[in-house]
Amino acid sequence: MNPAGKVALVTGGAVRVGRAIARNLAASGAHLVIHYHRSTEAAREAVAEARRMGVEAVAIGADLADPAQVEALAQAAEDHFGRVDILVHSASPFVRASLTETTHELWRQVMGVLVDSFFLLARRLAPGMVARGEGNIVVILDRGTFDPWPTFLAHSVGKSALWALARNLAVELAPHVRVNGIVPGPVLPPPGYTSEDIARIAAGTLLGRWGSPADVADAVLFLLHADYITGEVLFVDGGERWAHRRPQTG
Ligand SMILES: NC(=O)c1ccc[n+]([C@@H]2O[C@H](COP(=O)([O-])OP(=O)(O)OC[C@H]3O[C@@H](n4cnc5c(N)ncnc54)[C@H](OP(=O)(O)O)[C@@H]3O)[C@@H](O)[C@H]2O)c1
């Protein structure tokens, strides 16, 4: 798929990694629905930036833990552009909590944003893609999708469920809609990381350094163009997942 002239909805598209994805799509000529939750001002700036690049853009706010707001987001996107061709689900709470720290309310909130909102958006938007004979869906995952991460329990389980849902959709929506996932490694430190944290995490990749949000955004574009790839997951992690296999010295 050539994104030029297509309509892309990016959840969490106002800031950080989601913003880089939105920016790359706009630079490729895609019109944008930039979803945001709390980052109202950043969403406004992202819209202005996209318009300066010559595409149409709109910012739509929604708490993705609330199904009614998710439905309203899909409706507003379709009302504005008449269709959505590309869905990138990047929004994701990053909540540190073990089993005993995870209340049922927190569990439901994380699952709501990661899994339920993606289910509802896909259910609402994919039939139009199928009817038009073309569509692309990309979910942004992380290493918790495949590896246990008990200090981020709901997050890790939510990312696993998101990938399970995405690969089911790859089967159900074929051949017209392709559905893929991206597993970023360390590309942008969350607030509060110390320089020691940053150095330790860099050393835990094969390439010995952090990537950037642009690396993830480039991978999204690659998957849009990659017409023979569906139901696949692409690691953009500097080799983080294989670092434990480095030969020991000494
Ligand atoms: N940063 C990394 O190095 C890294 C590494 C691996 C994977 N990833 C993945 O890349 C994606 C983006 O990461 P990031 O670091 O840029 O994320 P982030 O800084 O933690 O931002 C979280 C995003 O999720 C949105 N969000 C959170 N709660 C929400 C809710 N209840 N309803 C709607 N939106 C909500 C936020 O929207 P508002 O700001 O508008 O509230 C924001 O756009 C995530 O899927 C993350 O798992 C990132």
Side-chain angles (χ1 to χ4, degrees):
M1 174 190 273
N2 178 354
K6 300 289 190 296
V7 177
L9 164 54
V10 182
T11 68
V15 294
R16 291 172 50 88
V17 175
R19 174 75 171 265
I21 294 168
R23 184 180 294 126
N24 236 16
L25 286 165
S28 304
H31 306 297
L32 286 182
V33 179
I34 296 170
H35 156 266
Y36 67 96
H37 180 216
R38 295 211 164 89
S39 300
T40 312
E41 192 47 43
R44 242 182 248 132
E45 286 164 14
V47 165
E49 181 182 51
R51 288 182 178 158
R52 285 195 298 275
M53 292 171 162
V55 297
E56 174 51 8
V58 63
I60 303 174
D63 179 353
L64 297 184
D66 176 352
Q69 293 190 41
V70 179
E71 295 286 354
L73 166 64
Q75 182 70 50
E78 288 193 326
D79 286 350
H80 192 89
F81 284 112
R83 67 185 209 277
V84 172
D85 308 298
I86 299 163
L87 170 62
V88 182
H89 186 39
S90 179
S92 171
F94 191 50
V95 184
R96 178 189 290 275
S98 65
L99 175 62
T100 51
E101 292 162 343
T102 305
T103 61
H104 188 235
E105 188 187 1
L106 177 61
W107 177 267
R108 286 275 17 117
Q109 206 238 341
V110 173
M111 294 300 155
V113 179
L114 290 178
V115 189
D116 298 33
S117 76
F118 176 64
F119 163 73
L120 291 168
L121 287 173
R123 191 165 184 274
R124 176 66 185 262
L125 301 174
M129 299 180 191
V130 171
R132 290 186 296 277
E134 191 180 36
N136 247 294
I137 298 177
V138 179
V139 294
I140 308 300
L141 307 165
D142 67 14
R143 62 186 303 189
T145 311
F146 300 101
D147 296 339
W149 202 359
T151 50
F152 285 83
L153 184 71
H155 176 86
S156 177
V157 175
K159 291 285 193 185
S160 299
L162 175 57
W163 176 231
L165 174 52
R167 62 184 193 235
N168 272 276
L169 297 188
V171 176
E172 182 167 344
L173 301 176
H176 299 304
V177 179
R178 294 185 296 106
V179 185
N180 292 293
I182 293 172
V183 180
V187 294
L188 190 61
Y193 271 36
T194 64
S195 51
E196 288 78 25
D197 293 332
I198 290 169
R200 178 179 40 79
I201 289 166
T205 68
L206 291 183
L207 300 184
R209 59 182 170 82
W210 283 66
S212 73
D215 292 319
V216 180
D218 286 346
V220 171
L221 277 193
F222 166 76
L223 287 173
L224 298 186
H225 283 283
D227 264 341
Y228 204 51
I229 298 181
T230 194
E232 193 49 86
V233 71
L234 180 58
F235 283 71
V236 182
D237 72 345
E240 185 184 40
R241 75 181 152 147
W242 302 126
H244 67 289
R245 299 296 290 158
R246 277 184 290 214
Q248 301 296 312
T249 52

